[in-house]
Amino acid sequence: MTVTKSTLLVLSALLLACDVAAQSEWRTDFSNHTVPLDEIVSGGPPKDGIPAIDNPKFVSIGRADDWLDDREPVAVVRLGGEVRAYPLQILIWHEIVNDVVGGEPVTITFCPLCNTTLAFDRRFDGRLLDFGTTGRLRHSDLVMYDRQTETWWQQATGEGIVGEFAGRRLTFVPAPVVSWRDFKETAPEGRVLSRDTGHRRDYGRNPYKGYDTGSGPISSFFRAAIDRRLAAMERIVAIDLDDDPVAVPFEVLAERKVVHTEAGSKKIVVFWAPGTASALDDSQIRSGRDVGATAVFDRVVDGRALTFEPAGDGRFRDTQTGSVWNLAGQAVDGPNVGKELTPIAHGNHFWFAWGVFRPDTKIVTR
């Protein structure tokens, strides 16, 4: 019998499915998948080997200030009048936090290999889901699973790729990554994910030292072609509204501070401000190089599309009213004081990780 390449791929996929099902006792329906199973590879740890945080505890800003540096990156979720910060120094060791913010069930995720910090609504198809790590990667990106159906989900896109919900997509929740100092200034009553996680980890240390300034583990886990329109490790603001993906390189943002564009039917503005450390540079996160922070908003306020310009000190001014806005989208001076821009969910991905999933992405250049 002649063994063709396609036959080998099928056999490889079947062996993977059988191996996973037999060794890990997955309840996943491996016959229902939207991607080739051989694209999903082991990242090393087994199922839940990187433990999600399922019962998160929170502390005040005052208490967290003892162990968070002003430059350290935190993911911020604002829902139902409640504001919470999730330090990347904790997420880098757990990758998933299942939580309820302002009465809204959400999961906050971080994949260090792709620099993808994303949050999702846990309500799906009439069920309340919670998530764990599969121990597997696809194109270097975290493959997570829900514990209710054991569907496997692609973290970067929120898409179910194997199992009952394959072909479906989770709803994103805005979770911008900003500096600890910015969080303290814009949410003084906010709460912070505690280091009391039930696990012993060296919080504050980056186990991926130097990763974001080289190619490193990409060659081990990333097996697709790299979209050469940008450098593989270029940080981008990734936006995907109505299947109209847009990427704004940090290189452009660092120069302009403000970028106006459109995604789907939305007129949006992207802000960038300096002062946030990379979580993937130095061995100590607090010492990481400054990569800045971004925020994305619908720029229509009271039926009028505003145009923004840098106002210095990480703030922004709309040219229509002269009002000054902070990185959280809050008007802090001028006629619009008290108003807030509507946030748009986005990620600060490495380009290689976004380009492979959304090859039709429009790149905003100078």
Side-chain angles (χ1 to χ4, degrees):
M1 180 181 70
T2 301
V3 180
T4 65
K5 181 178 179 181
S6 60
T7 301
L8 287 173
L9 289 174
V10 170
L11 287 173
S12 175
L14 289 173
L15 286 170
L16 171 64
C18 292
D19 177 66
V20 170
Q23 295 185 25
S24 303
E25 299 181 351
W26 288 95
R27 293 182 287 109
T28 308
D29 178 5
F30 287 94
S31 68
N32 187 29
H33 55 93
T34 59
V35 303
L37 291 178
D38 64 344
E39 289 184 354
I40 304 170
V41 301
S42 173
K47 177 184 182 182
D48 293 320
I50 298 174
I53 299 175
D54 294 314
N55 297 294
K57 299 177 182 178
F58 292 84
V59 296
S60 67
I61 284 177
R63 288 186 60 186
D65 219 19
D66 291 338
W67 45 270
L68 274 170
D69 184 83
D70 276 354
R71 299 173 64 252
E72 283 200 51
V74 300
V76 181
V77 176
R78 300 170 181 264
L79 290 171
E82 192 170 3
V83 188
R84 292 187 177 180
Y86 302 83
L88 264 58
Q89 65 158 259
I90 299 175
L91 285 174
I92 203 169
W93 294 99
H94 296 279
E95 300 192 359
I96 295 175
V97 178
N98 294 298
D99 199 8
V100 178
V101 182
E104 307 287 330
V106 294
T107 188
I108 297 87
T109 68
F110 176 55
C111 176
L113 294 182
C114 295
N115 198 51
T116 42
T117 306
L118 299 166
F120 306 94
D121 191 323
R122 294 198 285 121
R123 294 166 296 192
F124 190 82
D125 203 36
R127 306 191 199 192
L128 181 61
L129 306 180
D130 56 273
F131 295 86
T133 59
T134 63
R136 286 165 168 77
L137 303 166
R138 177 169 172 259
H139 302 324
S140 268
D141 181 56
L142 164 66
V143 177
M144 55 191 192
Y145 77 99
D146 72 75
R147 298 193 180 110
Q148 286 63 42
T149 71
E150 297 207 347
T151 296
W152 290 15
W153 302 84
Q154 190 78 61
Q155 182 251 7
T157 63
E159 295 171 325
I161 56 174
V162 184
E164 181 176 338
F165 292 137
R168 307 280 300 277
R169 186 183 294 187
L170 299 168
T171 299
F172 287 99
V173 172
V177 175
V178 302
S179 71
W180 173 235
R181 182 179 70 174
D182 282 332
F183 179 76
K184 291 187 293 183
E185 290 179 353
T186 60
E189 303 302 319
R191 304 287 288 176
V192 187
L193 180 65
S194 169
R195 282 175 156 184
D196 182 9
T197 63
H199 301 275
R200 294 175 61 87
R201 297 292 187 275
D202 191 4
Y203 298 123
R205 183 176 71 84
N206 163 31
Y208 304 89
K209 180 182 178 182
Y211 176 72
D212 69 351
T213 53
S215 57
I218 293 177
S219 60
S220 299
F221 299 119
F222 189 80
R223 301 178 180 179
I226 294 175
D227 186 328
R228 299 295 179 182
R229 287 182 291 167
L230 293 172
M233 302 298 286
E234 172 71 32
R235 276 178 165 82
I236 61 162
V237 169
I239 309 158
D240 191 0
L241 297 177
D242 303 323
D243 287 322
D244 181 22
V246 175
V248 186
F250 269 44
E251 182 180 31
V252 173
L253 285 164
E255 179 181 320
R256 293 171 53 179
K257 309 298 187 296
V258 176
V259 167
H260 302 87
T261 187
E262 295 184 2
S265 60
K266 297 286 188 183
K267 297 180 182 297
I268 61 178
V269 61
V270 183
F271 294 158
W272 180 92
T276 301
S278 165
L280 301 168
D281 178 36
D282 195 85
S283 59
Q284 295 299 312
I285 292 176
R286 65 177 57 218
S287 301
R289 64 192 178 92
D290 185 354
V291 294
T294 66
V296 181
F297 301 100
D298 185 331
R299 62 188 182 93
V300 176
V301 177
D302 295 333
R304 178 168 59 169
L306 299 181
T307 303
F308 294 87
E309 62 185 11
D313 197 27
R315 298 192 174 189
F316 312 88
R317 180 182 297 104
D318 74 71
T319 60
Q320 283 75 18
T321 73
S323 298
V324 176
W325 307 72
N326 62 21
L327 194 61
Q330 303 162 336
V332 295
D333 190 23
N336 280 323
V337 163
K339 294 184 179 180
E340 295 187 7
L341 300 172
T342 301
I344 301 293
H346 73 286
N348 292 341
H349 311 342
F350 291 134
W351 168 244
F352 81 86
W354 183 248
V356 70
F357 294 117
R358 292 289 183 264
D360 56 337
T361 293
K362 175 182 69 177
I363 299 174
V364 178
T365 60
R366 291 180 177 81

